[in-house]
Amino acid sequence: PCSAAVNLRPGAEQKVVFITARVHPGETPSSFVCQGIIDFLVSQHPIAKVLRDHLVFKIAPMLNPDGVYLGNYRCSLMGFDLNRHWANPSPWAHPTLHGVKQLIIEMYNNPKINLEFYIDIHAHSTMMNGFMYGNIFENEERFQRQAVFPKLLCQNAEDFSYSSTSFNRDAVKAGTGRRFLGGLLNDASYCYTLEVSFYSYIVGGTAAAVPYTEEAYMKLGRNVARTFLDYYRLNSLVERPLAATPKTR
C-alpha cells in the first residue's frame, strides 16, 4: 500500500483514495494500470508531490493472488468469483476481500478520515479503450457529481472514453466492490470500476485502433493519478520549472 499520511499537515483531514486491482486473475492489464498509478505516486514528479501532500492513497494491487498464481481466468483457488462476494465475504473463503472490506469500514467509521474515492481496476474482453462504470442514485445532484471524475480523466487520457462510461445497477453486479461500497458509503464518496480493453484504443476523431502495450496501460494509470490534481483543484500548487529567459540581441 502507498500511504501518504506522513506527508499531511499535522491535524489535516485525511482524504482517502482507495484503489484495488486484479480481483479477476486473467485481467492482467489491470495490474499494469495499477503499476502506473503506484509508480507515479511514489515518484519525484511535482504533481505526485502535491498529491502526496493532500491525499492519502490506499492501494491493494492484487485482490486474487492465489488465482493469479494458478493461472485462473476469473476465480480464486476455491473457485469463487471474488467480485460477487463483497456483501458478506468470509475470512476463510474470501480472505483478501474480508481484509480490505474491514479496513474500508474502519476508515469509514473514523471521523478523522473521509473516504472519498473507491476505484476497482479491471480489464474488458470486448470493449475498446478505457472507461468506467458508476452507480445510479435517486439523488440527481449526486448522480451528476459522480460524472465529474470520468469527464476530467477523459481530458487527460486520449485512450479513455467517456461515451463508453456508464452508470448502472444491474442485479447481476450487486456483489461487486463498486456496487456494494456505493451503497455502504455516504454521498460524499464515489465508487467506480475502471475498465481497460485487452486489445486496443481508438483516439477521438480517428478510426484506427491502436494496440495497447504495457507502457500504454501504465500511462493510463499515471493519467488516473494526475486527474486527482484537477479534481481537487490543486494545479496552482505544482512547482513548475522556470521559463527560460529570452535571449536579447
Side-chain angles (χ1 to χ4, degrees):
C2 166
S3 174
V6 291
N7 286 3
L8 299 180
R9 294 185 311 281
E13 172 188 65
Q14 290 191 31
K15 294 179 178 177
V16 173
V17 175
F18 207 109
I19 297 170
T20 57
R22 207 72 186 272
V23 71
H24 291 141
E27 296 176 11
T28 48
S30 68
S31 282
F32 290 105
V33 175
C34 193
Q35 188 71 48
I37 294 173
I38 294 171
D39 288 348
F40 183 77
L41 290 175
V42 300
S43 75
Q44 292 305 304
H45 194 287
I47 291 176
K49 289 181 178 180
V50 171
L51 292 175
R52 292 196 299 268
D53 285 344
H54 289 83
L55 301 168
V56 177
F57 291 88
K58 299 285 187 183
I59 302 176
M62 190 175 285
L63 285 180
N64 197 339
D66 50 337
V68 169
Y69 177 79
L70 290 167
N72 290 354
Y73 181 68
R74 200 166 174 87
C75 294
S76 65
L77 168 66
M78 298 176 70
F80 291 106
D81 179 345
L82 295 180
N83 205 35
R84 296 295 182 271
H85 289 277
W86 278 93
N88 191 24
S90 154
W92 178 72
H94 326 108
T96 52
L97 289 201
H98 184 267
V100 168
K101 182 179 171 183
Q102 290 300 113
L103 178 58
I104 287 174
I105 290 173
E106 276 176 32
M107 289 193 296
Y108 179 64
N109 291 330
N110 184 335
K112 294 180 180 175
I113 295 177
N114 276 358
L115 183 52
E116 305 216 334
F117 281 89
Y118 171 75
I119 299 176
D120 189 28
I121 309 172
H122 288 250
H124 206 283
S125 58
T126 57
M127 303 269 283
M128 304 280 253
N129 294 61
F131 58 95
M132 280 178 146
Y133 291 127
N135 295 316
I136 287 178
F137 304 106
E138 304 302 335
N139 182 321
E140 178 65 20
E141 193 250 349
R142 183 183 184 189
F143 184 65
Q144 296 290 346
R145 275 189 285 124
Q146 187 186 212
V148 173
F149 187 86
K151 283 181 177 175
L152 291 173
L153 178 54
C154 191
Q155 292 172 9
N156 287 333
E158 65 175 7
D159 58 320
F160 185 83
S161 167
Y162 185 75
S163 59
S164 295
T165 293
S166 64
F167 304 93
N168 63 56
R169 51 177 167 205
D170 306 346
V172 70
K173 300 287 182 75
T176 64
R178 173 213 16 132
R179 281 290 308 281
F180 176 74
L181 293 170
L184 171 75
L185 304 176
N186 64 28
D187 65 359
S189 304
Y190 302 101
C191 298
Y192 303 97
T193 301
L194 173 62
E195 296 273 3
V196 64
S197 172
F198 270 103
Y199 311 114
S200 307
Y201 60 95
I202 295 174
V203 179
T206 68
V210 181
Y212 265 114
T213 60
E214 293 174 9
E215 172 54 32
Y217 287 130
M218 288 191 280
K219 184 179 179 183
L220 177 59
R222 294 195 293 271
N223 284 326
V224 168
R226 296 171 78 110
T227 300
F228 288 104
L229 187 82
D230 300 329
Y231 182 85
Y232 287 103
R233 298 176 181 171
L234 300 170
N235 306 65
S236 62
L237 301 176
V238 177
E239 290 179 17
R240 287 178 172 76
L242 293 171
T245 309
K247 290 192 175 77
T248 53
R249 286 177 183 268

